[in-house]
Amino acid sequence: MKIKLYDLAHSRAGDKGDTLVLSLIPYREKDYPLLKAKVTAEAVKEHLKDIVAGQIERYELPNLPALQFVCRQALLGGVTTSLAMDTHGKSLSFALLEMWIENNEI
Amino acid sequence: MKQKIRIGCGAGFSGDRLEPAVILAEKAQLDYLVLECLAERTIALAQKRKIQDTNQGYDPLLERRLELLLPLIKSNKIRLITNMGAANPIAAAEKIVEIARKLKIDITVAAVTGDDVFSSLSPQDRDLDTGRLLTDFGPLISANAYLGADALLPALASDAEVIITGRVADPSLFVAPMVHELGWSLDDANRIGQATIIGHLLECAGQLTGGYFADPGKKDIPDLANLGHPFVDVMQDGTAVFSKVPGTGGTLRLETVKEQLLYEVMDPSQYFTPDVVADFTQVKMRETGPSLLEVTGGRGQAKPKALKVSVGYQAGFVGEGEISYAGTNALGRAQLAGAMMEERLKNRFTELRIDYIGSTSVHRTQWGTWPEPYEIRLRVAGKAPTAAEAAVIGEEVEALYTNGPAGGGGARKYVHEVVGIVSTFLNREQVEPTLTIRKS
């Protein structure tokens, strides 16, 4: 069945210039392998295609556990000169959590 | 050399609340209180204020914060470290001395300068992200190098109770007192890596204790209205135990600390600061009690050879106009207005943005199907070289009253000046931190 990331994980967005940084932290550690398998950089790029113009890199932090996504050219030019409503992209953590993944375990 | 040091963070940005720092200074038995109040853009704006008045250019809330805190840090023997000096730490130090005299408090203030490297910029310098020449972006306003913990150590070695700086890397404000009190070497990359992680966790203040975290029903935070800010006990071996003052709102637990650990971090194995290239990937966290959390495992590699420099430039003006539509077909009428604005303005503005607030304005898209909202606010924004040209956008939106779709209301128009920020590198040797002492 399909499940929304919102129900599995939490996230905080940060910014560096025109780059958006999104963490993805499972509520339960046991869901980390599922997130790692399904929430690939490619899958996030497809989900955020209307927002992120550049590349997305994914970093894995098995110790926490958590994933980190670094999304280039995502803030319409960046904090100070962007014409976007949310110039920092701070609300975009919840855009990531709108993503649905196939959950084979349930 | 101490076995343990306690540092609190009373402000995580320039506009932060005043009260949590007062509670920390009153009740947390701190050795150090840090106020982190300087965002990238803030210093360029402060430079502009300094150009207009040489006594200005420090944080606009400096007086209000220090009037509250000076009596407390004096009576409780706390040293205050803050980057509220912004573009003018010496003027800030003089203002603090003036406040202390008014309050009849003996105080020594150390101002650390040297971050202003505007005169060291070269016309050949390029932006780190795009590789374009800095001078291509627009007339340059400011250039500030990120100083490290080493720049603060002479101030900490003095008898100053208040240390005020301009552009210092945020974690370095916390790394410096750890190095000073615990006798660590700045060349011990793993130790400085752990110190940097501690500083990074604290630098956004309330974001560690449940601020910017709550999602009711999903991620609940108790008593968010009275959110307390965090403090840390750092042991000689680098072990850090984070906490907050009992009785204050918020909570400090694995979830809040994990979110903050990764906040604004690009590659977590290589977090660049002037002090170290920190590695967050081996960090271990353990809840040891209610709002009590231990962090270990920070590591690092030798500090970078060059310092990052934030460069501010004049980027023209943004004009904005907004108007609301409500009731049945609100979105349809707003979209008609938006299409009209595009037709009327597209030839006058190279960058024009039209948003439907309530529908797709914040994420620029939406997922799935949602019921149409009862009300929609149209927002039109564009950039122009002068304020007068930028104002045209608001004027056209306002004119929708008698020239647009039915039932538009609540038009507002704004024009604001834009300061752009780009980054470049400078050799460390070209940056010379300087200490200035003022006494009340």
Side-chain angles (χ1 to χ4, degrees), chain A residues 24-67:
Chain A
L24 188 67
I25 306 162
Y27 287 108
R28 302 177 303 185
E29 291 203 5
K30 71 184 184 73
D31 289 328
Y32 179 68
L34 175 70
L35 295 179
K36 204 173 116 178
K38 302 288 183 184
V39 193
T40 60
E42 295 73 30
V44 173
K45 172 77 188 169
E46 172 60 25
H47 176 68
L48 298 179
K49 62 180 184 298
D50 293 331
I51 297 170
V52 179
Q55 296 214 308
I56 296 183
E57 296 136 53
R58 186 180 88 167
Y59 297 96
E60 295 168 18
L61 295 109
N63 256 9
L64 287 183
L67 296 171

Side-chain angles (χ1 to χ4, degrees), chain B residues 42-360:
Chain B
T42 324
I43 197 158
L45 295 170
Q47 287 285 10
K48 293 192 76 165
R49 291 200 302 274
K50 186 183 172 185
I51 290 163
Q52 283 158 6
D53 178 349
T54 52
N55 294 318
Q56 292 295 319
Y58 52 82
D59 189 281
L61 283 180
L62 177 109
E63 280 131 297
R64 283 169 65 190
R65 288 195 199 282
L66 270 294
E67 275 171 13
L68 291 170
L69 291 172
L70 278 184
L72 292 168
I73 64 162
K74 190 71 192 178
S75 59
N76 292 337
K77 296 186 171 54
I78 301 164
R79 294 179 98 182
L80 179 72
I81 302 176
T82 179
N83 52 14
M84 270 190 291
N88 206 346
I90 292 176
E94 284 162 1
K95 176 56 74 174
I96 294 168
V97 163
E98 188 187 313
I99 295 166
R101 283 183 188 141
K102 197 174 75 188
L103 297 171
K104 299 189 169 44
I105 294 172
D106 285 333
I107 205 116
T108 304
V109 185
V112 177
T113 51
D115 60 309
D116 186 339
V117 293
F118 196 68
S119 60
S120 302
L121 282 187
S122 140
Q124 278 83 46
D125 286 339
R126 289 178 183 275
D127 169 42
L128 285 181
D129 289 330
T130 60
R132 287 170 61 198
L133 287 172
L134 297 179
T135 45
D136 284 355
F137 286 88
L140 302 182
I141 304 166
S142 64
N144 292 81
Y146 282 82
L147 303 180
D150 55 341
L152 298 181
L153 292 179
L156 289 166
S158 78
D159 58 359
E161 293 126 312
V162 178
I163 292 127
I164 185 143
T165 76
R167 184 75 279 164
V168 169
D170 297 349
S172 306
L173 297 170
F174 302 87
V175 173
M178 290 180 224
V179 167
H180 176 70
E181 297 286 357
L182 300 170
W184 296 348
S185 162
L186 278 172
D187 296 324
D188 183 345
N190 283 333
R191 196 51 54 86
I192 302 304
Q194 167 74 359
T196 297
I197 283 160
I198 296 166
H200 171 70
L201 287 172
L202 285 174
E203 70 181 64
C204 293
Q207 282 192 186
L208 197 70
T209 46
Y212 211 60
F213 180 87
D215 183 5
K218 191 71 179 169
K219 297 193 291 176
D220 287 309
I221 291 291
D223 198 15
L224 194 54
N226 294 303
L227 185 73
H229 283 185
F231 62 83
V232 67
D233 285 329
V234 186
M235 319 303 163
Q236 180 60 231
D237 70 355
T239 301
V241 179
F242 291 86
S243 189
K244 65 183 192 65
V245 175
T248 58
T251 186
L252 199 148
R253 60 180 198 243
L254 278 172
E255 291 166 324
T256 65
V257 180
K258 284 180 184 178
E259 276 197 19
Q260 185 56 28
L261 182 74
L262 295 177
Y263 179 65
E264 291 182 334
V265 172
M266 309 266 271
D267 178 348
S269 70
Q270 293 189 59
Y271 183 75
F272 282 77
T273 80
D275 306 321
V276 71
V277 181
D279 178 0
F280 291 23
T281 58
Q282 305 303 313
V283 167
K284 289 187 179 59
M285 296 179 184
R286 200 163 61 95
E287 282 176 10
T288 54
S291 282
L292 215 54
L293 190 136
E294 182 189 271
V295 174
T296 55
R299 300 166 60 162
Q301 294 170 328
K303 65 188 176 198
K305 289 199 167 60
L307 295 178
K308 190 175 158 183
V309 178
S310 246
V311 180
Y313 66 94
Q314 286 175 19
F317 294 81
V318 166
E320 284 180 275
E322 293 182 1
I323 188 166
S324 287
Y325 296 88
T328 302
N329 204 24
L331 183 57
R333 281 176 282 130
Q335 284 170 334
L336 173 59
M340 291 171 60
M341 288 299 96
E342 181 149 19
E343 198 177 326
R344 286 178 183 163
L345 295 166
K346 69 181 173 197
N347 294 328
R348 301 180 68 170
F349 293 89
T350 48
E351 265 188 89
L352 191 67
R353 177 136 201 106
I354 294 174
D355 290 310
Y356 301 95
I357 301 175
S359 173
T360 55

Side-chain angles (χ1 to χ4, degrees), chain A residues 6 10 12-13 16 21 27 47 50-51 59 63-64 68 74 80-81 83 85 90-92 95, chain B residues 41 207 212 215 218-219 255 258-260 262-265 282 362-365 367 379 383 418-419:
Chain A
Y6 180 84
H10 56 112
R12 178 172 293 174
K16 289 274 173 197
V21 183
Y27 287 108
H47 176 68
D50 293 331
I51 297 170
Y59 297 96
N63 256 9
L64 287 183
Q68 180 89 321
T80 59
T81 54
L83 288 179
M85 276 279 292
K90 281 182 172 278
S91 71
L92 292 170
Chain B
R41 191 174 71 110
Q207 282 192 186
Y212 211 60
D215 183 5
K218 191 71 179 169
K219 297 193 291 176
E255 291 166 324
K258 284 180 184 178
E259 276 197 19
Q260 185 56 28
L262 295 177
Y263 179 65
E264 291 182 334
V265 172
Q282 305 303 313
V362 181
H363 291 170
R364 317 197 291 265
T365 186
W367 291 269
R379 168 183 180 260
K383 238 182 272 176
V418 183
V419 171

